[in-house]
Amino acid sequence: MNPMRTLLLGMADSPTCKRLLTGWGVTRRVVKRFVPGETLDEAAAAVAQVNAEGLTATMNPLGENVANEATATASTNAYIEILDRIAADGLGSNISVKLTMLGLDLGHDIAIANLRRVLQAAERHDNFVRIDMEASPYVESTLEIFRELRADHPKVGAVIQTYLRRSGDDIEALISEGASVRVVKGAYNEPPEVAFPDKADVDRNFVAILDRLARADARENGVRVAIGSHDPAILAKGSELIESQGIEAGWEFQMLYGIGKQHQRELAAAGHDVRIYVSYGVAWYPWFMRRLAERPANVLFFLRHLFG
Ligand code: FDA
């Protein structure tokens, strides 16, 4: 893995780096590029703007790994409040949730009970919930919880990370279940036994998984696909598959707020569904470090602000 990426992902988990970096005004200015605000009001305004540009959104209140049940309940209530707000404002948005925010570190039962409450709220509003995929120790339990709840609440989706060696097998299972799948490269610091260390292998696996998802059996099973990437080669592959396989519905592109705007516009203009992942809140530190790790130019941008 690229040493800069390893360093930045290590810093994402360091309380000392967090204390240092979040104290700087310059960090906040750079963060604004990716995070439209700290409150639900600011996030709702950003989603309204995204909708006005002809795109849909998925809203994500920042945070992960809550340490006690009271915080997990508060996060659950916050997700439900977002669903209520989307309905009240008539926003074109669903939500993306993190199971460690719903208490996964405290136990399977707590996370599942909290997610069930979120899914019930989504159902009341006829909305959809995507379960983000976190670091590899959580993958198995996340997929288990996804399956357990999907039996009662079908409007829930999973995420597959193409850097994981296991992702080909997971995709086969999800195809047989007719699941809704977001495909992404993967954003965490993973050991080589678990994840491909070479970016070229991650990219190749992404293409192979998209090819697999476009096959007739997946579509017959009702599989829905979200391509979560800003990589021009992956976006071109997605467009090519949609056209060559005559896919008329069920596939969309997803990008992070503030990244790849030109691609967002071009894909929407070409008639594709494009959804923007809008993160907001005060707990932006680890999320921001993962965005820096994804692109060295972001670090240069940060340094320019620091010294400029
Ligand atoms: P890649 O990293 O190869 O970047 C391709 C190009 O895109 C870069 O050259 C640059 O131009 C642009 N780009 C990419 N990242 C950028 C950045 N941070 N700033 C500026 N430009 C950037 N991960 C995960 O582990 N679990 C999850 O649930 C999700 N969910 C998710 C949802 C959505 C909608 C997206 C778009 C991404 C995720 N991710 C994720 C993150 C994902 O795993 C991955 O880390 C990033 O999308 C970066 O990978 P790309 O596919 O963009 O390609």
Side-chain angles (χ1 to χ4, degrees):
M1 202 200 283
N2 170 329
M4 171 80 98
R5 183 164 189 262
T6 310
L7 173 71
L8 289 164
L9 290 178
M11 286 169 70
D13 294 329
S14 155
T16 311
C17 294
K18 178 179 175 188
R19 233 182 355 265
L20 193 71
L21 283 175
T22 52
W24 291 350
V26 61
T27 317
R28 286 168 183 278
R29 285 203 297 282
V30 177
V31 166
K32 273 203 159 246
R33 209 179 140 187
F34 307 113
V35 178
E38 296 194 341
T39 64
L40 179 53
D41 281 344
E42 287 168 313
V47 169
Q49 180 59 41
V50 161
N51 290 166
E53 290 164 20
L55 318 175
T56 54
T58 182
M59 293 173 79
N60 164 50
L62 290 165
E64 41 207 75
N65 297 96
V66 301
N68 57 55
E69 250 185 87
T71 319
T73 304
S75 305
T76 308
N77 294 340
Y79 283 129
I80 294 171
E81 187 188 0
I82 301 170
L83 286 163
D84 291 343
R85 178 65 179 266
I86 289 170
D89 287 9
L91 298 171
S93 182
N94 57 38
I95 65 169
S96 290
V97 305
K98 287 197 167 46
L99 286 186
T100 62
M101 244 177 114
L102 293 173
L104 188 55
D105 291 326
L106 311 171
H108 180 97
D109 291 351
I110 294 177
I112 210 162
N114 285 335
L115 181 58
R116 192 182 291 282
R117 283 186 57 216
V118 175
L119 292 177
Q120 285 164 343
E123 226 158 58
R124 281 198 294 281
H125 295 304
D126 192 24
N127 208 335
F128 174 90
V129 176
R130 175 81 58 188
I131 308 174
D132 282 348
M133 190 58 84
E134 300 178 70
S136 59
Y138 298 112
V139 171
E140 193 59 39
S141 49
T142 300
L143 290 174
E144 259 173 39
I145 291 176
F146 163 73
R147 292 194 167 104
E148 211 170 317
L149 286 180
R150 186 168 176 259
D152 295 333
H153 306 282
K155 293 184 90 169
V156 60
V159 174
I160 286 295
Q161 298 153 318
T162 68
Y163 64 10
L164 291 187
R165 294 182 187 275
R166 59 177 285 167
S167 54
D169 293 338
D170 286 333
I171 273 293
E172 287 304 328
L174 291 167
I175 287 174
S176 68
E177 295 157 18
S180 170
V181 189
R182 176 200 291 151
V183 187
V184 301
K185 292 188 185 180
Y188 298 84
N189 210 357
E190 299 291 358
E193 309 82 73
V194 170
F196 300 112
D198 280 350
K199 187 174 167 4
D201 290 326
V202 178
D203 294 354
R204 254 195 301 278
N205 198 31
F206 206 130
V207 169
I209 284 178
L210 289 185
D211 278 330
R212 178 65 190 92
L213 286 164
R215 293 221 316 246
D217 60 332
R219 286 155 57 203
E220 280 157 19
N221 284 354
V223 169
R224 299 178 74 81
V225 178
I227 302 173
S229 179
H230 319 91
D231 181 342
I234 297 290
L235 302 177
K237 174 71 190 179
S239 304
E240 183 267 310
L241 277 175
I242 290 169
E243 193 171 324
S244 65
Q245 304 302 308
I247 297 171
E248 284 173 0
W251 281 50
E252 68 180 24
F253 293 91
Q254 296 190 352
M255 289 180 228
L256 302 178
Y257 180 88
I259 302 179
K261 276 207 112 180
Q262 188 61 27
H263 295 302
Q264 298 169 13
R265 284 195 211 100
E266 283 169 9
L267 287 165
H272 297 297
D273 291 333
V274 180
R275 187 176 296 278
I276 306 304
Y277 187 110
V278 177
S279 294
Y280 73 96
V282 288
W284 43 260
Y285 176 75
W287 194 90
F288 172 65
M289 293 309 288
R290 292 200 291 274
R291 302 294 78 81
L292 287 189
E294 276 155 9
R295 193 170 177 241
N298 287 343
V299 179
L300 294 177
F301 182 75
F302 179 72
L303 292 174
R304 260 205 313 278
H305 273 257
L306 186 61
F307 297 114

